[in-house]
Amino acid sequence: MSATFRRQYFPAATARDWANWQWQLLHAFRTREQLAGVLKLTTDEEAAFTRSDRPFPVSITPHYLSRMRLDDPQDPLRLTMVPRVQEHQVGPGELWDPLGEEPHSPVPRIVHTYPDKVLFLATDFCATYCRYCTRARVVGSGKLTAPNSIWEEALCYIAQHAEIRDVLVTGGDPLTLADARLDWLLARLRAIPHVQILRIGTKLPAVLPQRITPSLVHMLRRHAPLWLSIHFTHPNELSPEVARGCIRLADAGIPMVSQTVLLKGVNDSTAVLKDLFEKLLTLRVTPYYLHQCDPIVGSSHFRTPVATGQQIIRDLHGRTTGFAIPSLMIDAPGGGGKVPVGPNYIAGRDGADLLLKNYADKTYRYHDPV
Ligand SMILES: *Cc1c(COP(=O)(O)O)cnc(C)c1O
């Protein structure tokens, strides 16, 4: 699949070029003209490119584009990456900072919402820009690209707050940083005695699997315990290259969890998500969170009713491996943190008995005197 795509659209590129992550980034599709050379853009897509009032960049790696059915405007991966004019419509309740991260940022690059864990926004750069990005206000803006010195204030904040035991390095996509810079940052975080665990939030294993080089993996494992939290959306992402990257990480002992955003027309069905979560388990990635799509400005065409996610979780419960089922979460607007909103299996109470609904919707009693 990727070789056919390469020969057709990059006839001068070798298989070795294609396998090089910097080549992939250099040849990412960023403009209307570049995309129109591969896809027949719809009127909604064309219209999105002529607007200038939502300066959120477009970028799609050749690898990711090669995973799309090029003649299908409803291709699920295409819907997440190619802008549509709907993203210029501001729906009710939509905000540029839906999670209230700005007021919870004590120093630049740190978001401190929970008592014991923080986000460290290492870069604003991503290989691909998801159209529903919750951090579209900064991501791709160039606002967070800076030399290591600008990280010092954030590192200092973490060092001075002994209650912080968990640092989630995110952005932007931290795996777009060069090995040496990321190594430097992780080593500095590791040197803070109260930081127990590190996490990296990334989509590169899905959109730029070429980045998962032996040297990157070797560097990451030196900073254990370090978890990767990988953004996966749809089973069509799971190419042989993606599988190889995950297997390489798993073989190095790097624990991986997945986060998926529930998206209308993309992955809002039990069959699609069951397939995704079960395949992720074969790659030793544990499904962690299924997120209700945050109310970022211009995202109403992606949002499903909360009941859709609850029904999907209900459908999965009892019908697949327990740990193939992520928790359904809403990130509370205004900095309230994530709230689990999965379906409720307690049907009520009868005296000293709790009434429980099982996966097949049968009721069972559990003696639980109050
Ligand atoms: C999601 C998030 C975390 C991490 O939360 P977990 O539930 O532990 O994965 C930490 N800080 C902020 C601000 C977050 O949004």
Side-chain angles (χ1 to χ4, degrees):
M1 193 176 192
S2 61
T4 319
F5 183 93
R6 169 171 57 83
R7 282 190 211 103
Q8 182 161 0
Y9 298 107
F10 297 97
T14 63
R16 216 189 143 115
D17 291 331
W18 182 268
N20 178 311
W21 69 278
Q22 270 121 350
W23 183 93
Q24 289 277 334
L25 277 184
L26 204 59
H27 293 87
F29 292 75
R30 298 171 194 280
T31 65
R32 193 203 73 84
E33 288 68 31
Q34 288 169 338
L35 274 176
V38 176
L39 306 169
K40 189 181 176 323
L41 295 175
T42 65
T43 37
D44 280 354
E45 290 166 342
E46 287 279 359
F49 278 105
T50 60
R51 302 275 293 251
S52 58
D53 50 339
R54 191 177 188 268
F56 183 54
V58 172
S59 177
I60 308 174
T61 56
H63 171 85
Y64 207 61
L65 199 57
S66 79
R67 300 300 302 167
M68 301 180 191
R69 291 183 303 263
L70 300 177
D71 56 356
D72 179 5
Q74 297 304 315
D75 176 87
L77 305 188
R78 173 169 174 165
L79 294 177
T80 67
M81 291 293 167
V82 179
R84 285 172 282 164
V85 72
Q86 287 87 335
E87 70 180 52
H88 294 273
Q89 292 160 6
V90 185
E94 291 183 347
L95 298 166
W96 277 112
D97 181 17
L99 308 186
E101 291 186 334
E102 302 287 345
H104 288 90
S105 181
V107 297
R109 286 154 194 274
I110 295 288
V111 181
H112 196 173
T113 304
Y114 295 100
D116 67 331
K117 50 196 176 188
V118 293
L119 307 185
F120 190 117
L121 307 182
T123 172
D124 63 67
F125 185 80
C126 285
T128 56
Y129 292 104
C130 310
R131 304 323 295 169
Y132 49 86
C133 179
T134 195
R135 222 163 274 132
R137 70 183 187 283
V138 283
V139 163
S141 66
K143 284 180 197 157
L144 295 179
T145 49
N148 292 10
S149 61
I150 206 103
W151 285 344
E152 292 290 349
E153 198 184 353
L155 287 165
C156 189
Y157 178 85
I158 297 169
Q160 286 169 352
H161 286 78
E163 70 277 18
I164 300 172
R165 40 161 289 285
D166 173 358
V167 178
L168 171 45
V169 182
T170 180
D173 200 315
L175 293 190
T176 61
L177 296 169
D179 288 6
R181 278 197 84 195
L182 187 57
D183 189 26
W184 183 91
L185 177 60
L186 295 173
R188 289 291 303 270
L189 289 168
R190 260 282 149 257
I192 302 172
H194 52 266
V195 174
Q196 292 176 342
I197 66 162
L198 297 174
R199 306 192 239 180
I200 293 178
T202 178
K203 195 171 170 65
L204 291 207
V207 299
L208 185 57
Q210 294 81 2
R211 177 67 183 102
I212 312 304
T213 58
S215 56
L216 176 76
V217 173
H218 183 75
M219 183 272 281
L220 293 178
R221 79 173 283 185
R222 283 197 291 104
H223 299 292
L226 177 148
W227 266 254
L228 280 194
S229 178
I230 310 176
H231 178 13
F232 280 107
T233 301
H234 192 282
N236 290 2
E237 292 175 332
L238 306 180
S239 65
E241 294 93 331
V242 167
R244 264 201 300 281
C246 291
I247 288 166
R248 184 174 278 169
L249 288 159
D251 284 350
I254 296 171
M256 293 174 284
V257 298
S258 72
Q259 306 209 44
T260 298
V261 181
L262 189 57
L263 299 166
K264 195 197 287 180
V266 174
N267 60 11
D268 56 341
S269 83
T270 303
V272 167
L273 288 181
K274 185 168 188 285
D275 189 28
L276 174 65
F277 299 149
E278 289 176 350
K279 284 180 175 152
L280 286 174
L281 281 192
T282 70
L283 303 178
R284 287 173 277 170
V285 179
T286 309
Y288 176 41
Y289 283 157
L290 176 63
H291 295 281
Q292 174 73 6
C293 181
D294 290 328
I296 183 76
V297 167
S299 62
S300 55
H301 56 304
F302 281 122
R303 249 184 330 280
T304 51
V306 175
T308 302
Q310 291 175 321
Q311 186 59 48
I312 290 170
I313 300 294
R314 200 178 271 288
D315 292 344
L316 292 173
H317 176 67
R319 295 184 173 85
T320 186
T321 307
F323 51 90
I325 308 173
S327 301
L328 179 65
M329 308 302 275
I330 296 183
D331 220 319
K338 294 178 187 71
V339 180
V341 293
N344 179 14
Y345 295 93
I346 297 177
R349 203 170 242 297
D350 182 15
D353 286 350
L354 205 57
L355 303 177
L356 304 175
K357 284 261 191 228
N358 80 341
Y359 70 97
D361 212 33
K362 285 213 258 185
T363 305
Y364 292 81
R365 283 170 180 270
Y366 178 84
H367 188 62
D368 178 44
V370 269

